[in-house]
Amino acid sequence: MSKASTLLQNEVGRRVLLLANESIARGVLEAGVRLVACYPGTPSSEIGNTLSQMSPSLENFYFEFSVNEKVALEVAGAAAVSGVRSMMICKGPGLNVAADPLLSLAYVGVRAGMVIVVADDPSMWSSQNENDSRYYALMSNTPMFEPSDPEESKSMLLQAYEISERLQLPVLLRTTTRVNHTRAPVELGPIRDRPDKVEFQKEPFRFVPIPSVARNRHLWLLGQIKVAQEISETTPLNFTVGQGKLGILTSGVSYCYVLESLASMNLNAEVLKLGMTHPVPERMLVEFMRRHRQLVVVEELEPFLETHARRLAQLHSVDVEIQGKEQGYFPRTYEYSPSIVRDGLRRCITGDTATDLQRTERTDTGLSSLPPRPPLLCAGCPHRATYYAIRTATKGKAIYPSDIGCYTLSISPPLETADLLFDMGSSITTACGIAQVTGQDVVATIGDSTFFASGLPGVANAVYNSHPVCIVVLDNRTTAMTGHQPHPGTGLTGMQQKVEPLDIATVCRGLGVKNVRTVRPFASLANLVKEVRELVSWVRNNRAPAVLVSIEPCALIAAAERARAGVRISPYYVDPETCTACKRCLNRLSCPAMYQDPESKKAMIDETMCNLCGVCASVCPQGAIRQKE
Ligand code: SF4
Ligand code: SF4
């Protein structure tokens, strides 16, 4: 039975081994959530993927992969304002994109429960920064919950809906990578019915925050967060365990590391575990601090709880020594581990404040370290061919703004076609800025999903302001980096329905781009180089933007489809008689399936890794790379 079908079962009391992300997906059913909107982003991806798989089997349920996080929050927010429970899912940096509607939504509030699941990524395993989303709770005045494990992820979600409805506010459920991807037994609860349709009740002087409305709503919001404060003081989600002179304040996955560390160090302490971290339970925390002379704060990323503790200690004249990041006992960067927490606790006790971040970063794997390997595009990735062509056509002299997606890996030699990156959609907009002030050729690259997510305003801006930029859309027919989710160019919805896809070239023409070309990078590498060269030259001469859409499915999808269809392609090999060991293929294309024979120094192809794209055959000047008969 697939995980999605297991999660659909109404078997109350059954214990199932679940990822926290799957547990949250199950929680959607148990909370009776009617609509979920998400933009895929690791480490939250499996929540949306699981719901999408489940959606065709569910009545009165709607799931969508929205084009970006702002859109997702607006879709889900509108559903909650209409009177049904809703959810929005994103990763940490995604909440930046959705910050605009988040702050307004808190002002107008919701009629039915709404939860925003935001997955932060300490250590940036797959993110461009270490956003600490707890500050969004503070800034937007919305309650926040932080589960520590899969079971809590579901139980807190259910409570978050209750509190959201009680306060008429959206509630943030913040997870971190280690929680999202932890698997543990979770007890299934009853599945709640979902309403089919509700009637939207008009209330413009609440839901349209023109200044006179917003001024009142801000006061209302501050009143609600006071009520939330009282909830935080009494909720069983905030509790203490253990006894001892030492007090420890913690939340999220750090709580698990604290318990493990105390046991292994044979140390007694009283631990205050906060499941509701905004608003912090002020009375509870002050009383806790009064019981201890020494308070250690253990939390990943920013000193969020630590700052609250210091503020409250000062405000209430509590005589307690607060130890945490501020004195260097714990690192402010990267994911924690039991050994980092153990080390921090030991140093708090001994007063050793010399934090050695290198030492504390990543330890305790129990494995001998692997040789470092540069991150590379997959063997047979169509982006490699396009980047090879961009670099060849521009002789490596253009500026190459990049974007968020697996193609950012083109930063590595020999492709070296990622010069600047801010956030989703920034390749086009930063290209505009660079082109205006440098006079150099600028070739921006952006993936298909990112193009729909945040690229469109950049295209409109480039057209309207006549920015001389060459935009290459790397259309691999999927959102590859986060696990192959659909987007408006793929023709599949989150409800698993086939629909008419949006054509990127037509969209660009519609936005006013005069020169739009479409290429297949595997059809002819020479032609691809020629197209890029012509486009760059056209942009230079016409002082206007042009777009090249390079379409070829992701190598992983192509391989899976070939396997499903039983299509056999003859493998590629290097003919040792013809190969002159010039290393052009190795040095300029650097496909991971190719290597140098240590004895003959000639190129070789590892057939088990080769994804049969054939690009290396076009790169070899000797014609030494061929397909077997
Ligand atoms: S055909 Fe060549 S470039 Fe393509 S995956 Fe195989 S070895 Fe790599
Ligand atoms: S480019 Fe051709 S000749 Fe040169 S090393 Fe590669 S296979 Fe051999």
Side-chain angles (χ1 to χ4, degrees), residues 555-592:
L556 304 179
I557 290 182
E561 278 176 2
R562 268 201 313 271
R564 263 198 300 274
V567 175
R568 292 203 174 276
I569 297 180
S570 305
Y572 285 81
Y573 71 101
V574 179
D575 173 16
E577 301 301 320
T578 323
C579 175
T580 58
C582 72
K583 295 204 279 189
R584 185 186 168 101
C585 56
L586 298 166
N587 289 344
R588 294 199 42 196
L589 195 65
S590 91
C591 171

Side-chain angles (χ1 to χ4, degrees), residues 267-461:
L267 192 65
N268 289 326
E270 188 185 12
V271 180
L272 173 55
K273 195 269 197 196
L274 297 187
M276 187 169 179
T277 46
H278 188 256
V280 290
E282 298 199 350
R283 286 198 304 278
M284 189 184 221
L285 183 49
V286 168
E287 280 162 24
F288 184 75
M289 287 193 288
R290 286 209 167 109
R291 288 205 292 277
H292 302 281
R293 296 298 300 272
Q294 187 183 9
L295 177 79
V296 177
V297 189
V298 186
E299 57 185 329
E300 289 176 324
L301 299 182
E302 295 300 302
F304 180 84
L305 298 177
E306 188 177 330
T307 305
H308 275 297
R310 289 186 194 285
R311 176 179 66 82
L312 291 169
Q314 198 276 340
L315 202 61
H316 297 273
S317 306
V318 184
D319 183 15
V320 61
E321 189 190 352
I322 299 170
Q323 297 171 315
K325 295 173 202 291
E326 302 283 1
Q327 308 97 325
Y329 286 115
F330 288 92
R332 195 170 165 174
T333 51
Y334 313 140
E335 197 172 46
Y336 283 6
S337 67
S339 72
I340 289 174
V341 173
R342 231 175 10 248
D343 188 53
L345 286 174
R346 180 188 57 73
R347 288 182 311 103
C348 282
I349 291 162
T350 60
D352 171 12
T353 58
T355 308
D356 180 351
L357 291 181
Q358 295 304 320
R359 187 162 52 91
T360 56
E361 269 169 30
R362 288 168 204 158
T363 49
D364 253 11
T365 60
L367 300 169
S368 57
S369 56
L370 292 166
R373 290 172 303 163
L376 287 172
L377 295 168
C378 301
C381 171
H383 303 334
R384 179 175 287 101
T386 310
Y387 279 120
Y388 176 90
I390 291 171
R391 213 175 152 81
T392 305
T394 55
K395 299 191 171 64
K397 291 194 176 132
I399 311 297
Y400 310 108
S402 189
D403 226 299
I404 304 285
C406 42
Y407 44 89
T408 320
L409 298 176
S410 70
I411 190 173
S412 300
L415 299 173
E416 293 173 295
T417 33
D419 289 328
L420 180 66
L421 168 68
F422 292 162
D423 54 19
M424 294 278 281
S426 69
S427 61
I428 302 174
T429 43
T430 55
C432 295
I434 293 167
Q436 281 306 313
V437 298
T438 65
Q440 288 172 275
D441 293 330
V442 187
V443 183
T445 48
I446 184 166
D448 41 351
S449 184
T450 312
F451 172 83
F452 286 113
S454 302
L456 294 170
V459 177
N461 185 63

Side-chain angles (χ1 to χ4, degrees), residues 378-381 384 522 572 589-594 604-606 609-617 625:
C378 301
C381 171
R384 179 175 287 101
F522 291 166
Y572 285 81
L589 195 65
S590 91
C591 171
M594 298 197 79
M604 305 281 281
I605 291 176
D606 179 344
M609 287 183 72
C610 173
N611 264 320
L612 308 163
C613 71
V615 174
C616 53
I625 304 179

Side-chain angles (χ1 to χ4, degrees), residues 16 21 36 41 53 118 136 244 274 278 280 408 447 527 575 584 602:
V16 184
N21 281 349
V36 180
Q53 284 162 20
V118 54
Y136 276 114
L274 297 187
H278 188 256
V280 290
T408 320
N527 182 55
D575 173 16
R584 185 186 168 101
K602 296 188 177 187

Side-chain angles (χ1 to χ4, degrees), residues 514-561:
K514 295 272 185 310
N515 191 348
V516 182
R517 299 174 180 204
T518 300
V519 288
R520 300 296 304 236
F522 291 166
S524 160
L525 198 56
N527 182 55
L528 187 57
V529 174
K530 179 174 137 297
E531 292 277 3
V532 176
R533 198 174 284 137
E534 284 177 7
L535 211 68
V536 171
S537 156
W538 186 92
V539 167
R540 212 183 291 141
N541 295 333
N542 291 274
R543 309 300 298 163
V547 172
L548 183 73
V549 189
S550 183
I551 307 174
E552 202 74 62
C554 167
L556 304 179
I557 290 182
E561 278 176 2

